[in-house]
Amino acid sequence: MRRDILTILVEKRGDSAVKVQEILTKWGSIIRTRLGLHGETGEHGLIIVDLSGNGEQNGALASELEGLKGVVVKQVSLSMET
């Protein structure tokens, strides 16, 4: 079993949250689960996304998000042998 996860740090939500949301909506068909957390002051946020797409799709989503100012993206692939 393999799971692909994106962690997305949005440094200034007011500046980039709308664009992040547009991109996530565009790729909604490959998003299994999404968890959004905001900081104590509400200025920054963390989004954790569990993806179901293939490697190319998941990479394309990450690349679009990485192109936004103030957004940091890390991809994690977890696999377990059954």
Side-chain angles (χ1 to χ4, degrees):
M1 175 173 90
R2 179 180 161 174
R3 298 304 281 254
D4 292 316
I5 308 293
L6 282 186
T7 56
I8 307 157
L9 180 61
V10 182
E11 293 179 306
K12 294 185 180 178
R13 291 175 57 211
D15 294 343
S16 51
V18 171
K19 190 63 179 164
V20 168
Q21 179 59 41
E22 288 173 359
I23 292 170
L24 292 176
T25 298
K26 173 183 169 184
W27 290 96
S29 63
I30 66 165
I31 295 175
R32 260 191 212 112
T33 306
R34 172 182 165 177
L35 172 65
L37 307 167
H38 60 80
E40 293 174 10
T41 62
E43 291 182 21
H44 65 279
L46 174 66
I47 303 169
I48 303 167
V49 183
D50 177 20
L51 301 172
S52 64
N54 61 40
E56 187 176 310
Q57 292 169 316
N58 297 348
L61 168 55
S63 290
E64 277 194 57
L65 290 166
E66 289 169 340
L68 299 176
K69 183 178 180 181
V71 176
V72 178
V73 179
K74 297 290 181 189
Q75 290 183 267
V76 177
S77 288
L78 303 170
S79 60
M80 181 179 289
E81 295 191 28
T82 55

